[in-house]
Amino acid sequence: MINREWHLLSRPVGWPKPEDFALVEAPVPTPGEGQVLVRNKYLSVDPYMRGRMSAAKSYVAPFELGKVMQGGAVGEVVESRAEGISAGDHVLHFSGWREYAAVDAKNAVKVDPEAAPLSTYLGVLGMTGLTAYAGLLRTASFKEGDTVFVSGAAGAVGSQVGQIAKLKGASRVIGSAGSDEKVKLLVDEYGFDAAFNYKNGPVAEQLRQAAPDGIDVYFDNVGGDHLEAAIGSLNQGGRIAVCGMISVYNNTEPAPGPKNLARLIQTRGRIEGFLVGDHYDLQPQFVQEVGPWVASGALKYRETVAEGIENNLEAFLGVLRGDNIGKMVVKL
């Protein structure tokens, strides 16, 4: 049996190029003691993976050259050499970018395909959902009545941030996105009070029009001019949670910082970065609260699905371009 897997051949400079990667054929691995062999059914591609393609020191080790990359995946166990997991079970794990994976059972989490579609365990009920939940409620210290601004609001994380804020009693939720289609989705389907296409004019001006009384919380997925605009509209005691800065991930030179940081003194504002890995203690609370919202339709989600392992790289590049609406997954 042949296992197709994606390898990183060279570290991208600027935008990743197809020649930086290779789809390689390898034998299907044999699970060792305490491992399970998983046939992956859905793979996750996420913006943070761009950082792992660089050798720069970061919060997670870089991908190794000439070896298979990693990422979130959910699949069916076809062979088990571990207690507690049997063939036929479905598990969530971190050995993506490949068709088959031998996974340590301690690193595999059983999921129920009857309770929710398998793909949702990579998105709305998975790491991206917990990122939205923890970033808004813990890092940004959201409270009822806040006005919330979310950048990258049509993405997997941003779309949940805005909806959770509304469900928790935000007075106003504003989102930015990169197309008129996405703007319409934010207002008509996700229930945002206002949204704008950042390509249609200066972000600071559009944000002031959408939030004339300022903002209390900014959930940052983009950085750059969005962060500067948010600081400019921040109310006294405002909070900024920095989740990602996709606008600078492919820069070859350091991006300039916001020119108006001194305004944080006036507003007593706070900026704090966070990683979802520091907040897994919230997982039970997250599932207990968000699961019923998803089941009832109170919290809506979209997925962009690419078909086939051969399209895994293009799906990842699509995330960097902003092609996706909601969570981008690859179906095998």
Side-chain angles (χ1 to χ4, degrees):
M1 293 175 65
I2 297 298
N3 183 31
R4 290 183 294 172
E5 55 188 37
W6 281 96
H7 289 203
L8 181 66
L9 300 184
S10 57
R11 303 207 179 275
V13 177
W15 276 85
K17 301 179 293 296
E19 52 265 35
D20 295 324
F21 308 85
L23 182 59
V24 175
E25 290 188 349
V28 171
T30 300
E33 192 65 34
Q35 289 189 322
V36 294
L37 178 64
V38 182
R39 181 172 63 239
N40 288 329
K41 292 194 170 184
Y42 288 93
L43 307 177
S44 178
V45 286
D46 303 279
Y48 80 86
M49 294 173 174
R50 176 61 184 87
R52 295 198 67 186
M53 295 171 187
S54 167
K57 186 176 180 180
S58 184
Y59 61 88
V60 64
F63 293 134
E64 295 184 59
L65 293 180
K67 295 187 177 180
V68 62
M69 295 182 288
Q70 292 130 11
V74 64
E76 182 181 357
V77 175
V78 295
E79 182 182 348
S80 175
R81 297 189 62 191
E83 292 184 8
I85 301 179
S86 304
D89 286 342
H90 291 81
V91 295
L92 174 69
H93 61 92
F94 206 68
S95 294
W97 289 82
R98 69 199 84 181
E99 292 175 309
Y100 289 85
V103 180
D104 290 341
K106 64 182 180 181
N107 296 327
V109 178
K110 287 203 288 187
V111 297
D112 184 359
E114 301 298 323
L118 282 175
S119 58
T120 63
Y121 294 105
L122 296 174
V124 65
L125 293 177
M127 184 177 72
T128 52
L130 181 59
T131 300
Y133 189 86
L136 177 68
L137 302 183
R138 178 175 280 174
T139 306
S141 304
F142 170 84
K143 59 183 183 297
E144 186 176 353
D146 279 345
T147 295
V148 178
F149 171 44
V150 188
S151 58
V157 174
S159 60
Q160 282 193 250
V161 171
Q163 291 183 81
I164 292 171
K166 290 295 290 184
L167 288 164
K168 289 281 193 178
S171 62
R172 188 167 175 80
V173 173
I174 301 109
S176 74
S179 74
D180 293 341
E181 176 192 7
K182 291 180 179 180
V183 167
K184 189 175 189 301
L185 173 71
L186 292 176
V187 175
D188 293 350
E189 186 168 330
Y190 294 155
F192 282 57
D193 296 288
F196 60 85
N197 182 344
Y198 66 83
K199 297 176 182 177
N200 287 348
V203 174
E205 292 181 11
Q206 295 194 77
L207 178 58
R208 279 194 296 269
Q209 292 173 5
D213 296 322
I215 62 173
D216 304 298
V217 168
Y218 171 47
F219 194 103
D220 190 13
N221 290 305
V222 173
D225 55 356
H226 281 75
L227 178 56
E228 187 167 296
I231 293 171
S233 286
L234 206 62
N235 290 331
Q236 185 166 316
R239 291 87 64 204
I240 296 174
V242 180
C243 175
M245 292 192 174
I246 197 169
S247 69
V248 303
Y249 286 168
N250 293 307
N251 287 5
T252 56
E253 298 293 334
K259 298 188 292 291
N260 57 350
L261 282 174
R263 194 168 186 277
L264 294 174
I265 302 169
Q266 173 192 341
T267 61
R268 290 76 150 178
R270 170 169 61 86
I271 300 180
E272 183 177 347
F274 75 99
L275 298 174
V276 67
D278 296 332
H279 302 281
Y280 282 128
D281 62 296
L282 289 177
Q283 181 77 24
Q285 176 183 321
F286 161 70
V287 172
Q288 183 179 19
E289 188 164 24
V290 175
W293 286 341
V294 174
S296 69
L299 194 153
K300 299 174 176 61
Y301 69 95
R302 291 280 195 98
E303 292 176 338
T304 300
V305 182
E307 298 273 352
I309 186 73
E310 63 276 8
N311 289 313
N312 211 89
L313 175 60
E314 181 57 28
F316 167 70
L317 296 176
V319 170
L320 296 184
R321 292 190 299 262
D323 294 350
N324 56 304
I325 294 177
K327 182 76 181 82
M328 176 76 86
V329 294
V330 180
K331 182 180 180 181
L332 304 188

